[in-house]
Amino acid sequence: MARVVVDVMLKPEILDPQGQAVQRALPRLGFEGISDVRQGKRFELEVEGPVDDAALARIREMAETFLANTVIEDFTVRTES
Amino acid sequence: MTTRIGVVTFPGSLDDMDARRAVRLAGAEPVPLWHRDKDLHQVDGVVLPGGFSYGDYLRCGAIARFSPVMESIVAGAKEGLPVLGICNGFQVLCESHLLPGALTRNDHLHFICRDQRLRVENADTAWTSSYEAGQEIVVPLKNGEGGYVADERTLDELEAEGRVVARYLELNPNGSRRDIAGITNEAGNVVGLMPHPEHAVEPLTGPTTDGLGFFTSILKRLVNTP
């Protein structure tokens, strides 16, 4: 079985208050030098059968219609060996 | 003939009972609709209530959008069926692409619950005709992800076409762009609203009865339709 990873991130122009809250907490915890944090989602898909172009196309369609809201989010799809 | 307004219950809906009560107090017959049932039972309009459909998993409204009942509602809305989405219902309408933009985490990250002053900007939609344009109302607001966002071009279009239905006054409670509390589609039959008019329909339980107008509006429209 092969694994395909879909990463979903808020678009750069969309405010990420959760990421900001994480960033602001870092100095308090002694982690200096981080100027920005953006928080996203990672989906790990276990694919039955070969991960060929057709399978990847279906996964991109899935990401586009369901895993990401492309009004506010971007996504990337990659195969993990 | 009684006007029949469907109120959808998704797993995790919270305000379906209040929405049905508001429909009844406005003089229409509330019809419970179930998320797994495609049949809309010949209703004249639909309310998508507030709550946390499917636990807000993935994104608010993202899973509800693909429920069987929504297939029928999306198809109906495109044919002119009046649909009002309140809070989580607004999120479902955006996820369904019946309305543009999206609702995101409140900019201050806190869940907010307050009586909110609004200005009704557009009194020509299926759900706002009982109001005067410019009328100020106070209804409860309660959300964690109520920040309305869209790209600048979409926001400009909404403004130019008068599709901002309601705007926050005094305080922007969640970081919504341009203080937007509610919008409508081009035809005016689909309205999404983040505050909760269904909680302001009788003096005993609400801060005002200002919310009742959303539910009497739909009655007025349907009675006047030949």
Side-chain angles (χ1 to χ4, degrees):
Chain A
M1 288 235 279
R3 172 178 290 179
V4 174
V5 176
V6 180
D7 286 313
V8 177
M9 293 298 295
L10 280 172
K11 289 184 175 181
E13 65 269 26
I14 301 290
L15 183 73
D16 177 13
Q18 293 184 102
Q20 285 180 345
V22 172
Q23 191 268 334
R24 282 197 298 267
L26 292 176
R28 198 156 34 84
L29 302 174
F31 299 103
E32 305 290 344
I34 306 298
S35 62
D36 191 26
V37 175
R38 306 279 292 172
Q39 181 178 322
K41 297 191 189 92
R42 171 187 165 111
F43 299 88
E44 297 180 346
L45 312 177
E46 303 299 334
V47 181
E48 293 171 356
V51 181
D52 50 17
D53 287 352
L56 282 172
R58 285 292 286 165
I59 289 170
R60 274 192 205 96
E61 188 188 340
M62 178 204 307
E64 174 111 34
T65 52
F66 187 46
L67 300 182
N69 176 351
T70 54
V71 175
I72 51 170
E73 294 169 326
D74 294 324
F75 66 88
T76 57
V77 176
R78 67 191 148 87
T79 311
E80 205 171 66
S81 49
Chain B
M1 209 182 76
T2 322
T3 303
R4 291 159 54 84
I5 303 296
V7 177
V8 178
T9 299
F10 297 105
S13 291
L14 294 179
D15 300 324
D16 42 341
M17 295 278 281
D18 275 27
R20 297 210 299 261
R21 195 174 60 125
V23 165
R24 182 166 43 74
L25 289 171
E29 180 192 345
V31 179
L33 299 177
W34 183 237
H35 67 110
R36 284 169 69 181
D37 187 358
K38 272 190 189 180
D39 189 350
L40 297 185
H41 303 276
Q42 291 91 44
V43 294
D44 304 300
V46 171
V47 177
L48 302 176
F52 300 86
S53 58
Y54 297 89
D56 272 355
Y57 294 163
L58 187 58
R59 292 177 307 278
C60 305
I63 299 178
R65 172 218 170 167
F66 290 101
S67 62
V69 75
M70 281 308 298
E71 277 181 45
S72 307
I73 291 171
V74 169
K78 288 178 178 165
E79 303 287 312
L81 177 75
V83 180
L84 173 65
I86 302 168
C87 193
N88 189 222
F90 187 7
Q91 294 162 338
V92 173
L93 290 176
C94 286
E95 284 283 344
S96 306
H97 306 303
L98 287 174
L99 294 174
L103 283 312
T104 58
R105 181 83 50 160
N106 295 349
D107 56 355
H108 47 72
L109 285 172
H110 298 282
F111 191 93
I112 187 160
C113 182
R114 68 191 302 269
D115 295 333
Q116 176 73 44
R117 183 170 292 275
L118 307 173
R119 186 170 57 237
V120 178
E121 302 277 17
N122 179 341
D124 294 324
T125 76
W127 299 92
T128 53
S129 61
S130 288
Y131 299 101
E132 304 283 332
Q135 187 175 339
E136 294 187 12
I137 63 173
V138 174
V139 301
L141 170 95
K142 48 179 186 137
N143 66 70
E145 302 197 26
Y148 182 74
V149 297
D151 58 49
E152 287 298 315
R153 205 186 60 184
T154 304
L155 292 169
D156 288 341
E157 262 175 36
L158 288 172
E159 303 267 13
E161 295 168 11
R163 289 167 56 197
V164 176
V165 170
R167 232 184 276 268
Y168 298 116
L169 293 181
E170 292 168 3
L171 160 155
N172 181 332
N174 46 30
S176 288
R177 306 299 303 275
R178 306 196 191 180
D179 300 332
I180 289 173
I183 57 171
T184 185
N185 64 344
E186 280 173 44
N189 62 309
V190 178
V191 170
L193 192 70
M194 191 39 61
H196 288 264
E198 81 283 17
H199 295 328
V201 292
E202 59 182 1
L204 179 65
T205 54
T208 65
T209 56
D210 291 353
L212 198 58
F214 283 87
F215 304 94
T216 55
S217 294
I218 189 63
L219 226 73
K220 203 165 87 178
R221 168 184 167 114
L222 292 166
V223 168
N224 291 338
T225 304

